[in-house]
Amino acid sequence: MIKVGVLLGGKSIEREVSFNSGRTICDHLDTQLFTVIPIFQAAIGDLYILPWSFLYRGKIADFEHRLEQEAKKITWDDLPAMIDFMYIATHGKYAEDGRLQSILELLKIPYLGSKVFASSLGMNKTLHNHFLKLHGIAIPKGFDLTVDQIKNYDETIIAALFKQHGISFPVIVKPANEGSSFGVFCVHEPKKLRAAIQKSCFISGDVGQDVLIEQKIEGMEFCCIVITDVTTGNLVALPPTEIVLKRGVDVFDYRHKYMPGVATKRTPALCSLEKIQKIQNVCIATMRALEMTNVARFDGFVTKSGEVIIIDSNPLSGMAPSSFLFRQACEIGMGHAELINHLIKTELKNYNISRQVTEMNDQKKIKIAVLFGGASNEKEISLD
């Protein structure tokens, strides 16, 4: 069997999202094809083989204080002898920005998802935007500020940049190197701009990071996942999800992304087939332009004029049970386990080691019905 390490946790502020993703992957990996090894990375970077009992804690804080006593501590150098493939379930900085990918390549460990260059582009929103613009893909109008410019804030310079780039309030302020909408703010008036920029710049530490200021786009917000056909190698855009925020809410932020029921997510989007195909085509073009591979998630808007604008590209997608990836894959008949195994098989084929995977014997499968929902007041609990 191929030994699959599932890396979860991590050093970024998205570690709780990663923990949920990793738990889902561990639950659904086909144990007749793969040996699953949960690998937890603590906030300070230490690695542990995570006991399975820890996977079912509500959050990282519920077990982190027990790691030294109850989990096996390992080093990066131990990994080549322990695993054949790394399923990356960590998110954000140190996970999707090319640094983790570089380490795995030095260790000669095959891994899931885009390689160093594409991962770096996906996480650096400034370079990402410049790169897409060069490839003729629409991005929001706007500009970026360096950490030095933010520390030496000059309202006259900011006003000149607004005029130069043809933007006006309201604007979106966001850090250049974060995910999950951490540090993203919508600013409606000049007097609140500086405070938003400061918060965005230092959202994950005193060192700070560059900040983007972009025109707020009006239109249908969407998320679209692109995967790869394991047989042909062709890119396949899944049915996009339409995101509908409540009245008065300006940003699809962390809370709206991960708290059930806070935002309405319609999969597939309630729009014309022509508009859906246009979204899918632009997302495939974006994936090719950024040289992303296997799977990626793209966020954007369709304006009233029909223009598709990409606001963010993610080299990896969140993989919690109700994430966009699984919602959209279900629309083409792929369940959680089938999709996760599909992604691994696609990557193994890229590494020319797919011959090691043996298919399950369908004749030995038992059909099991799962009854949920119902007429009681507990139907929502049943769904979970």
Side-chain angles (χ1 to χ4, degrees), residues 64-124:
E64 199 163 22
H65 61 286
R66 298 168 57 186
L67 287 170
E68 287 293 335
Q69 290 74 37
E70 300 179 47
K72 180 183 178 181
K73 193 171 184 179
I74 61 172
T75 67
W76 290 102
D77 288 335
D78 294 327
L79 290 177
M82 296 178 62
I83 63 173
D84 302 307
F85 180 85
M86 181 69 87
Y87 198 116
I88 301 174
T90 45
H91 301 307
K93 286 194 293 187
Y94 314 106
E96 295 180 73
D97 58 5
R99 282 181 274 194
L100 172 60
Q101 290 75 11
S102 296
I103 292 171
L104 293 173
E105 290 187 12
L106 285 171
L107 296 173
K108 298 182 179 179
I109 298 174
Y111 59 89
L112 179 76
S114 297
K115 307 315 169 201
V116 176
F117 173 74
S119 298
S120 302
L121 275 182
M123 274 302 293
N124 186 315

Side-chain angles (χ1 to χ4, degrees), residues 7-12 14 18 21 39 41 87-92 94-96 100 316:
L7 185 65
L8 60 157
K11 298 169 65 176
S12 82
E14 297 182 65
S18 164
S21 292
I39 301 171
Q41 185 179 32
Y87 198 116
I88 301 174
T90 45
H91 301 307
Y94 314 106
E96 295 180 73
L100 172 60
L316 291 170

